Amino acid sequence: MFLLHPLLQISVLLDAVSASPTDDNVLRAGHGEHGEPGHEEPHKDSYSTFASEFLESRYLSDEGYPFPAAPPVDPFARIKVSDCGITKGCIRYGKPGCDAETCDYFLSFRRIGTDVEFEMSADTDGWVAVGFSSDKKMGGDDVMGCVHDDNGRVRIHHFYNVGQWAKEIKRNPARDEEGIFENNRVTCRFKRPLHVPREETLVDLHLSWYYLFAWGPAIQGSITRHDIDSPPVSDRMISIYKYEDIFMPATAYQTFSSPFCLLLIVALTFYLLMGTP
């Protein structure tokens, strides 16, 4: 009697299992049930069989049905200006009669439960923002901005104005954010809590504030200086509880409205009509 090397023993056992008489394929491939030569069948690729079985178990549900495809992403809902002054407050800056897709700058807000939903849009390929200020000057302001990055995404950021530049704040109160860059416009929508404990970089929207409006270019997802030297500011404090449709003409569409300017226009008109003596 002699002993086989352990590796040879394993090989013999595997051969014995693979050639078990209970395997109908082996009987058909070798000899018939009575020892007669059988008809051989093509050899099956064990790896491909395993792979197909794995894929079936991976992509089929417990009932054997394919898993449904992921639902499509909802497209960005257009801003409805017909609701301005009715179910939401709006501020438009630009040409008279402009809307969310044609104004130089557009902002809307409305209360939803304990949140305020903001919509912003501006004629820019970089960023658009709104600031909440206790005065009409830039500095010490809570700012929410929508930034178009190099990957084509629009993300909502939280800033705090330090002097004439904006510092990004890690604590971002925005949620349910969405945005789009289309037709050379940055447009976004997000929610923010209405009432929060007031701190330096985060104001309580339950109170009224002057609103600062700004937009400009971005470099690699980082904001740069705003497009115009003196960004528009609301002429009075805005209450989140009062829905108005406010129009602010852009500089190109502003007219002389001060009493002195009107008096000057009247004097010049009278002088031209009367002529010189």
Side-chain angles (χ1 to χ4, degrees), residues 255-264:
T255 58
F256 297 105
S257 58
S258 68
F260 176 78
C261 290
L262 292 175
L263 182 61
L264 181 60

Side-chain angles (χ1 to χ4, degrees), residues 98-201:
C98 66
D99 57 25
E101 297 180 4
T102 57
C103 286
D104 294 355
Y105 178 98
F106 179 91
L107 172 76
S108 78
F109 56 85
R110 64 170 177 160
R111 301 183 310 278
I112 302 179
T114 58
D115 291 333
V116 179
E117 181 184 74
F118 289 96
E119 296 173 314
M120 284 192 290
S121 177
D123 184 14
T124 179
D125 62 355
W127 58 273
V128 55
V130 57
F132 310 102
S133 175
S134 58
D135 53 29
K136 293 185 176 182
K137 300 178 181 179
M138 183 177 177
D141 313 309
D142 176 3
V143 178
M144 300 300 298
C146 304
V147 185
H148 175 222
D149 63 25
D150 291 344
N151 295 321
R153 299 169 299 186
V154 175
R155 297 293 179 86
I156 285 74
H157 298 258
H158 182 213
F159 302 97
Y160 181 74
N161 283 342
V162 180
Q164 296 297 309
W165 62 279
K167 175 184 178 183
E168 185 166 0
I169 306 299
K170 290 184 178 179
R171 181 184 177 187
N172 191 343
R175 54 174 173 255
D176 296 341
E177 60 182 71
E178 54 180 332
I180 187 173
F181 176 69
E182 190 175 56
N183 298 326
N184 201 47
R185 293 189 69 88
V186 174
T187 306
C188 65
R189 181 183 293 112
F190 62 92
K191 294 186 181 73
R192 171 174 158 155
L194 171 64
H195 181 76
V196 295
R198 186 179 177 184
E199 55 184 63
E200 184 181 17
T201 62

Side-chain angles (χ1 to χ4, degrees), residues 5-28:
H5 189 277
L7 292 178
L8 292 177
Q9 293 181 13
I10 294 174
S11 176
V12 171
L13 289 174
L14 290 175
D15 290 339
V17 172
S18 61
S20 172
T22 60
D23 191 340
D24 294 335
N25 292 333
V26 172
L27 290 175
R28 288 193 294 269

